[in-house]
Amino acid sequence: MDPLTLKLQAQSAISETENVKKLEELKITYLGKNGLVNQMMKEIINIPSDQKQNFGKKANQVKQEIQLLYEQKLQELSQEGKQQEWFDITMPGKKPTHGHLHLVSQAIEEISDIFAKIGFIRARYPEVEWEYYNFEALNMSKNHPARDEFETLFIDAPVNEKYGKIVLSTHTSSGQVREMLRVGQPPIRMINIAKCYRRQQDITHTIMFHQFEGLVVDKNISIKHLKGTMDYFVKQFYDENRKTRLRPFHFQFTEPSFEVDINCAVCLGKGEINGKKCRTCKQGWLELGGSGMVHPNVLKAGGIDPNKYSGFAFGWGVERVYMMRSDVKIDDIRYLYENDIRFLRQF
Ligand code: FA5
């Protein structure tokens, strides 16, 4: 094909092109390695020698012109593309979804802050614990029946001569003697918040749960301090109107011992809803946890002289305490650990 015909053909094809994809195809057709321009160049061998120079000059000129036509068209099409792209700068942005702490973690932070205000220092002791700290140091000797209540999970591991078997800590009280040994001499004002494990699962029990344990040891500590501290906590965590009651109880590691109850948030202490027994509490009150004056044997195990010092301790369930808030109304503790995002999002 002669250069001028090729140029006219390319010119019309390029000008009619409406999109970049087609333009790129034309580029290959004309300017590609085996394209029409190169084929034209190769024809120079058939041209009589006195016309070769003229042909070569024209062919090169046409090549450059087609290249220019291609570039101009490409720019034109890209410009159009940009104008079609529409962006509304006044449109509100899409908010990224925010996660938040699990409600039990929120409760732990809150409990920790409430006790920090009255000088309790946060402690944390092993979840995988020696039988000794979980029981013996707490006045529950080997084979003592009081151990039964703790539905203990044992680890299949060699038994230590002094410390016994390895257990999954059944209560935060296992940190009491550890804290006494760590501090050395009173005063002690500890709040130990940690995971506990027991072999039980129902509407008010989970296999893994959390407790917070308060321990105060000093000179002249009496039951008044215990009562005052519990009242302070209940008023801070719930509201001035939630009621508590103390019930005489028995724990091997406190003497005297009490259970602390609070009126149920689901039925508001009535024990029934629409004539049916409240599913959560059954009788209007729910146990928050135990408390009492530290047993002299426990002080001795911690290296503290019970004739000089006395103390009180309490251990409550974080989940149970949280569920008793009137704004929460969770009637089954197991919801907390089902990881259903529709449930968790509400808190
Ligand atoms: C104890 O664990 C004692 N260590 C408490 C204590 C500490 C008494 C210091 C005296 C001095 P108890 O077994 O009652 O006591 O458990 C205390 C609280 O932990 C219960 O009231 C409940 O709120 C919570 N709890 C116990 N087991 C479970 C469970 N399986 N699931 C959820 N919460 C539980």
Side-chain angles (χ1 to χ4, degrees), residues 150 171 173 176 198 200 204-206 209 211 213 251 253-254 287-291 313-315 317 320 333:
F150 292 95
H171 53 172
S173 301
Q176 283 191 19
R198 290 187 199 178
Q200 34 184 220
T204 49
H205 296 89
T206 42
F209 60 100
Q211 282 187 344
E213 181 98 4
F251 290 105
F253 35 95
T254 45
E287 162 200 320
L288 281 180
S291 65
F314 57 90
R320 210 72 78 74
I333 194 170

Side-chain angles (χ1 to χ4, degrees), residues 138 140 149-151 170-174 176 196-202 204-215 226 249-254 256-261 286-294 312-321 333 337:
L138 295 172
M140 286 181 272
E149 287 161 29
F150 292 95
E151 302 282 353
T170 61
H171 53 172
T172 41
S173 301
S174 59
Q176 283 191 19
C196 303
Y197 301 83
R198 290 187 199 178
R199 209 173 49 88
Q200 34 184 220
Q201 175 109 287
D202 58 32
T204 49
H205 296 89
T206 42
I207 289 178
M208 188 283 298
F209 60 100
H210 296 77
Q211 282 187 344
F212 58 105
E213 181 98 4
L215 175 70
L226 164 65
F249 202 71
H250 174 260
F251 290 105
Q252 252 324 94
F253 35 95
T254 45
S257 306
F258 311 96
E259 283 277 33
V260 185
D261 295 340
L286 247 144
E287 162 200 320
L288 281 180
S291 65
M293 301 306 291
V294 182
F312 70 80
F314 57 90
W316 298 3
V318 172
E319 292 82 354
R320 210 72 78 74
V321 159
I333 194 170
Y337 296 115

Side-chain angles (χ1 to χ4, degrees), residues 125-126 128-140 147 162-165 167 169-182 253 298 301-302:
Y125 287 107
V128 181
E129 182 56 287
W130 292 112
E131 207 180 349
Y132 173 81
Y133 290 108
N134 203 77
F135 294 120
E136 252 145 287
L138 295 172
N139 200 32
M140 286 181 272
R147 290 187 180 204
K162 180 173 175 203
Y163 296 109
K165 294 180 186 162
V167 300
S169 170
T170 61
H171 53 172
T172 41
S173 301
S174 59
Q176 283 191 19
V177 165
R178 281 190 180 271
E179 179 73 355
M180 292 176 200
L181 295 174
R182 183 189 72 82
F253 35 95
V298 178

Side-chain angles (χ1 to χ4, degrees), residues 24-195:
E24 291 304 322
E25 282 166 15
L26 283 179
K27 187 187 177 192
I28 295 167
T29 309
Y30 286 94
L31 299 166
K33 204 172 151 203
N34 299 314
L36 294 172
V37 170
N38 275 346
Q39 282 174 29
M40 175 191 70
M41 295 286 207
K42 281 176 195 159
E43 276 172 29
I44 201 161
I45 47 169
N46 304 321
I47 303 288
S49 41
D50 60 332
Q51 292 170 28
K52 271 192 201 310
Q53 198 183 359
N54 194 23
F55 180 88
K57 211 171 154 188
K58 270 195 193 154
N60 267 326
Q61 208 177 336
V62 164
K63 186 180 178 181
Q64 280 169 18
E65 281 171 359
I66 295 177
Q67 178 72 36
L68 190 67
L69 285 171
Y70 159 77
E71 279 163 17
Q72 282 170 347
K73 189 71 185 180
L74 182 66
Q75 207 174 4
E76 191 185 306
L77 291 175
S78 323
Q79 249 354 76
E80 277 174 18
K82 270 187 202 145
Q83 277 159 17
Q84 276 167 13
E85 211 177 276
W86 185 78
F87 180 64
D88 180 359
I89 53 160
T90 63
M91 234 166 88
K94 278 188 193 156
K95 274 194 188 156
T97 45
H98 271 256
H100 62 72
L101 288 180
H102 188 276
L103 52 169
V104 172
S105 304
Q106 291 178 35
I108 289 174
E109 280 192 1
E110 210 178 308
I111 292 166
S112 192
D113 287 350
I114 291 173
F115 283 106
K117 283 188 197 147
I118 52 169
F120 280 64
I121 291 165
R122 177 89 184 264
R124 213 169 152 185
Y125 287 107
E127 273 172 49
V128 181
E129 182 56 287
W130 292 112
E131 207 180 349
Y132 173 81
Y133 290 108
N134 203 77
F135 294 120
E136 252 145 287
L138 295 172
N139 200 32
M140 286 181 272
S141 55
K142 280 202 170 60
N143 302 321
H144 196 288
R147 290 187 180 204
D148 281 357
E149 287 161 29
F150 292 95
E151 302 282 353
T152 311
L153 293 154
F154 289 87
I155 302 281
D156 189 6
V159 177
N160 181 283
E161 220 174 286
K162 180 173 175 203
Y163 296 109
K165 294 180 186 162
I166 299 178
V167 300
L168 289 184
S169 170
T170 61
H171 53 172
T172 41
S173 301
S174 59
Q176 283 191 19
V177 165
R178 281 190 180 271
E179 179 73 355
M180 292 176 200
L181 295 174
R182 183 189 72 82
V183 175
Q185 285 305 301
I188 293 172
R189 219 178 278 184
M190 165 194 87
I191 186 82
N192 171 21
I193 313 183
K195 289 194 177 90

